[in-house]
Amino acid sequence: MADRRPAGRRRPSGAGKRGKGGETGLLLWLFGAALVFLLLRAALPFLQRNWPWFVAAAVAALVLATAVAVARARAMAERERRWFRENSELERVDRLTGTEFERLTAELLRRDGFRHVRLLGGAGDRGVDLTAIGPGGRRFAFQCKRYTGSVGAPQVRDFLGALAHAFAGHTGVLVTSGRLTRPALTEASQGGLILVERERLAAWLGGEALLPGRTARGD
C-alpha cells in the first residue's frame, strides 16, 4: 500500500547553488576592491614623490598620439587628392565603378567649396547618392550615374520621387558620365533638376565650377 503521508516541501532545484554562487561573487568583488585599495595606498607615496615625471610622460604620450593622428590624416588626404587627380579625365571616369564615381563627385564638390558632403550610396540610400550644402547655404541632393549609355526617364522619375519625399527641400542634381534620353530630359526639366551630362562633367573635371557665377577652388 502506498505511503499517503503528505510530502514535505522541496527546495527548488539549484537554489542552494545560486545562493552560494552569489556569495562567492560578492566575496571576490570585495577581495578585488581591497586589493586595489592596498595597491593604490602602497603606490601613493611613490606617485607623490615622482608626479612631475608622470605628468611629463602623459603629456609626451598625448603629443605623440596627436602627431601620429595628424600625420595619418595628412597622408590620407594626400592619397585622396592624388586619386582625384589621376581620375579627373573622362577616359578614366569611364573605367570607374559606380561607388568610385560617387567618390569622385564628392571630391569635386569639396573642391568647389561645398560643405557637409555626405556619401549615402548603397542599399539604403533612398534614391540619393550624395548630399551637400552649397557655399550659399543651399541644400543639394545628388544622384550619380556612371553610365556609358543613356539615362532614361524611369531613373529620373525615381530621383524626383526621392526629392519629393525623403529629401524634400533639397535641390536635385543628376550627374552622369553619359547622356539623358529625350524623355528623361523632359522629366528633368519639369522637375527642376540641375543636369551634369557628359560634356558638362568634362568641364567640371577641368576646373569649371558646378554653380554658375562661382570659381572652382584649386588644390
Side-chain angles (χ1 to χ4, degrees):
M1 188 173 177
D3 189 355
R4 295 180 180 274
R5 289 178 300 177
R9 181 177 295 177
R10 295 183 180 179
R11 184 161 52 181
S13 177
K17 293 181 180 179
R18 285 197 297 269
K20 291 180 180 179
E23 292 176 0
T24 302
L26 178 60
L27 289 174
L28 289 174
W29 186 88
L30 290 173
F31 175 77
L35 183 61
V36 170
F37 174 76
L38 291 174
L39 289 174
L40 288 175
R41 185 175 180 182
L44 186 59
F46 177 77
L47 293 174
Q48 288 176 334
R49 290 194 304 269
N50 299 279
W51 68 265
W53 294 103
F54 285 99
V55 172
V59 171
L62 180 61
V63 170
L64 179 61
T66 302
V68 170
V70 169
R72 289 185 61 184
R74 287 178 176 174
M76 290 178 63
E78 178 56 33
R79 285 196 298 269
E80 195 70 14
R81 284 193 294 269
R82 185 166 59 249
W83 181 88
F84 174 70
R85 289 193 298 268
E86 290 171 354
N87 291 282
S88 294
E89 298 176 1
L90 280 178
E91 293 75 11
R92 296 267 190 171
V93 171
D94 289 336
R95 294 194 291 269
L96 297 178
T97 66
T99 300
E100 289 172 335
F101 186 54
E102 294 167 12
R103 177 182 164 194
L104 180 68
T105 303
E107 288 304 314
L108 285 167
L109 293 172
R110 294 188 182 101
R111 184 202 68 186
D112 282 5
F114 282 73
R115 298 176 291 110
H116 304 295
V117 179
R118 294 179 58 211
L119 282 162
L120 305 176
D125 62 9
R126 296 181 293 177
V128 168
D129 297 315
L130 285 161
T131 59
I133 297 178
R138 190 175 170 191
R139 292 187 298 168
F140 290 85
F142 297 81
Q143 178 63 262
C144 304
K145 298 292 186 186
R146 210 290 300 157
Y147 283 9
T148 53
S150 299
V151 179
Q155 287 83 14
V156 174
R157 283 195 292 270
D158 289 343
F159 185 31
L160 290 173
L163 292 172
H165 297 92
F167 294 89
H170 290 70
T171 298
V173 184
L174 196 154
V175 184
T176 179
S177 56
R179 296 176 178 84
L180 275 70
T181 63
R182 188 176 297 275
L185 286 170
T186 301
E187 294 273 358
S189 176
Q190 293 174 348
L193 294 181
I194 296 174
L195 298 179
V196 181
E197 296 182 85
R198 190 169 183 84
E199 289 76 12
R200 188 172 179 184
L201 176 60
W204 195 18
L205 290 167
E208 184 178 302
L210 174 66
L211 300 178
R214 291 188 177 271
T215 303
R217 298 188 307 183
D219 291 336

